[in-house]
Amino acid sequence: MNANKSFSADEGGHHVEVERQLHHFYPKLKKYSYFLAKNKWDAEDLIQETFFKAMKYYHSSEISAALLNKIAYHEWIDTVKKRKVEVFKTLEDESKEYTACKADRLIDLVKLLVNNLTPKQAVIFMLKEAFSYQSKEIANLLDTTEMAVKSTLHRAKKRLNNDTSLQSIDSFWKEEEREKLFELLYQSLQAEDPVILIDCISTLHSLAETSKLAQPTHSGSPLNMYSMAA
């Protein structure tokens, strides 16, 4: 028991002496911590962590301004590294969330087109509204007239606005072609590349007779996909 009491007394004396030393060097450490952290809150946290480690790992005779600055420096480096990792992880998570959200929105958009438009209307609508092709350019690609393209686009927009007076589209589709066009539209939007769709127009039976095999002369960028369904 006496030994334990002696140990406790020595330990208590050690902490008192360390606290005295830390109090003595506090102004210099405060100045250095503010220099490192650049703001009050981080500097105060840094001072606390430095004092904690000094009291835990060093004897009072070892404590000096240089030692405290060294502890503070390494503590701040560790803090910065941790924050970079946290920021990177947050950005990575947000990127994954955005990618997943974008994919879901594109799928919903393409479903809207293939479920409510004829194959020709879906293709023309996509080229015009998503990739900013001009009616004349679309007419050249499909070997039709500019007036026909404008008329088809007009009917497509009426269908998307739930105009029930229009003829049913079921007779225009075969399930196999619906699935194929769905993939082409989705891939074009996802890659932001209309050529993916254009190069396969001739393989769509409902458009094969009117399609024109030619490389597109227009290079468009897709508009905000979220506005297309509006």
Side-chain angles (χ1 to χ4, degrees):
M1 293 292 292
N2 291 334
N4 289 337
K5 287 183 179 180
S6 176
F7 176 78
S8 298
D10 290 342
E11 188 180 55
H14 163 70
H15 284 300
V16 170
E17 182 59 26
V18 169
E19 289 178 0
R20 188 185 68 80
Q21 290 282 73
L22 294 177
H23 180 74
H24 174 72
F25 291 117
Y26 174 78
K28 291 183 179 179
L29 177 61
K30 180 180 178 182
K31 183 177 181 180
Y32 185 64
S33 296
Y34 272 68
F35 167 75
L36 291 174
K38 308 301 183 187
N39 69 76
K40 176 182 177 181
W41 300 276
D42 285 336
E44 290 177 350
D45 289 342
L46 184 56
I47 293 170
Q48 290 182 11
E49 287 298 318
T50 301
F51 279 1
F52 173 77
K53 290 190 174 180
M55 293 181 69
K56 184 175 181 180
Y57 297 110
Y58 295 94
H59 191 273
S60 60
S61 61
E62 299 176 288
I63 294 177
S64 65
L67 175 66
L68 295 176
N69 285 352
K70 182 178 179 180
I71 295 173
Y73 173 79
H74 288 292
E75 182 66 26
W76 182 246
I77 293 299
D78 289 342
T79 298
V80 171
K81 287 181 179 178
K82 289 177 182 177
R83 287 181 180 177
K84 285 183 178 179
V85 170
E86 290 172 357
V87 169
F88 179 79
K89 187 176 184 304
T90 299
L91 291 175
E92 186 177 38
D93 291 343
E94 289 179 351
S95 177
K96 289 180 180 178
E97 183 178 348
Y98 170 76
T99 300
C101 180
K102 179 182 177 182
D104 289 342
R105 295 298 295 270
L106 293 185
I107 289 173
D108 289 342
L109 175 60
V110 176
K111 282 182 179 178
L112 179 71
L113 298 185
V114 300
N115 289 336
N116 292 277
L117 304 180
T118 68
K120 182 184 288 187
Q121 288 171 352
V123 170
I124 290 177
F125 185 88
M126 178 66 70
L127 293 175
K128 177 68 174 178
E129 301 299 328
F131 295 106
S132 300
Y133 274 67
Q134 298 300 311
S135 296
K136 184 177 181 179
E137 294 174 309
I138 298 173
N140 289 334
L141 288 170
L142 298 181
D143 196 19
T144 186
T145 66
E146 185 175 354
M147 184 63 68
V149 169
K150 290 181 178 180
S151 177
T152 301
L153 183 63
H154 177 69
R155 289 196 298 274
K157 290 181 177 179
K158 288 182 68 176
R159 287 189 182 278
L160 293 177
N161 286 326
N162 298 317
D163 189 335
T164 57
S165 66
L166 296 173
Q167 178 186 357
S168 171
I169 65 168
D170 291 341
S171 61
F172 292 91
W173 286 102
K174 291 183 179 180
E175 193 58 33
E176 180 181 349
E177 185 164 83
R178 191 192 297 269
E179 293 176 1
K180 185 173 184 177
L181 186 54
F182 180 96
E183 287 299 321
L184 289 173
L185 295 175
Y186 177 76
Q187 290 172 14
S188 293
L189 289 174
Q190 189 177 49
E192 300 185 358
D193 184 3
V195 175
I196 294 174
L197 172 62
I198 292 169
D199 282 348
C200 295
I201 286 177
S202 63
T203 67
L204 300 170
H205 299 303
S206 57
L207 295 177
E209 294 182 359
T210 58
S211 65
K212 184 176 181 180
L213 298 179
Q215 290 296 324
T217 58
H218 176 96
S219 177
S221 298
L223 51 72
N224 185 333
M225 291 298 106
Y226 306 138
S227 68
M228 286 179 57

